[in-house]
Amino acid sequence: MSDSEFNLFQWLHDAAEREPDPSRLVWEDTRMRWSLIEQQARRLAGGLSKIGVREGDRVAVMLPNIPPFLVAEFASLLLGSIVVPVHVNTRSEELGYLLDDSEAKVLISWSGYRDVIDDALQQTESLRHRIEIDAGEGALDFAA
């Protein structure tokens, strides 16, 4: 594979095959295999595809440094969509501008940011879907 054909999802796939030991990825008291992250990323990519995310579309990710952040990033890479990372302390005015300016179709976040996101949504026309961890009303559930 040439450098121009390599992407981070391919790296994940190769790491999952090469390293069955879960000691490389640790979250709190849980040790995870790269293959689990790959499996979850493929599942999320399928869900994103079903709601219309295509190559070149923007997917905003507003998550702290937790495993679902990796899943969202790798799922987007698998689809060829563009990841728009959003800092978790972003205020609603900034978030609204960022979502609109980036033309993000989807925002993946945690339900704890709902108030900020609800205010920001009034400032954007491009966003079509919200996916949340512990989803509330108006959002698709990340686990589903």
Side-chain angles (χ1 to χ4, degrees):
M1 174 179 302
S2 73
D3 287 341
S4 64
E5 296 172 358
F6 184 81
N7 68 39
L8 286 175
F9 188 84
Q10 185 63 47
W11 174 87
L12 173 65
H13 177 74
D14 293 346
E17 287 185 342
R18 188 176 57 251
E19 298 182 29
D21 179 10
S23 63
R24 301 262 186 210
L25 187 60
V26 179
W27 169 249
E28 294 180 342
D29 295 333
T30 305
R31 295 182 178 277
M32 293 173 275
R33 290 181 165 77
W34 285 115
S35 59
L36 175 63
I37 298 296
E38 179 185 9
Q39 176 188 10
Q40 291 176 350
R42 286 185 184 279
R43 185 172 172 212
L44 180 58
L48 290 170
S49 179
K50 284 182 183 177
I51 62 173
V53 176
R54 303 288 179 254
E55 185 174 344
D57 288 343
R58 274 87 173 162
V59 175
V61 179
M62 186 177 182
L63 291 170
N65 189 15
I66 58 175
F69 180 87
L70 286 175
V71 172
E73 291 265 340
F74 283 123
S76 296
L77 292 169
L78 178 60
L79 287 175
S81 61
I82 299 165
V83 177
V84 179
V86 180
H87 194 278
V88 296
N89 291 331
T90 301
R91 296 177 311 182
S92 60
E93 313 82 52
E94 296 168 325
L95 179 60
Y97 175 81
L98 190 147
L99 292 173
D100 199 48
D101 188 57
S102 69
E103 298 179 353
K105 275 189 165 180
V106 176
L107 172 62
I108 300 174
S109 65
W110 171 59
S111 62
Y113 308 137
R114 192 172 298 128
D115 290 343
V116 170
I117 293 168
D118 286 344
D119 290 344
L121 291 180
Q122 298 172 21
Q123 302 173 47
T124 182
E125 295 179 14
S126 63
L127 198 71
R128 300 289 178 249
H129 300 282
R130 292 168 54 184
I131 300 173
E132 288 182 354
I133 296 173
D134 301 326
E137 187 176 326
L140 302 169
D141 188 54
F142 184 87

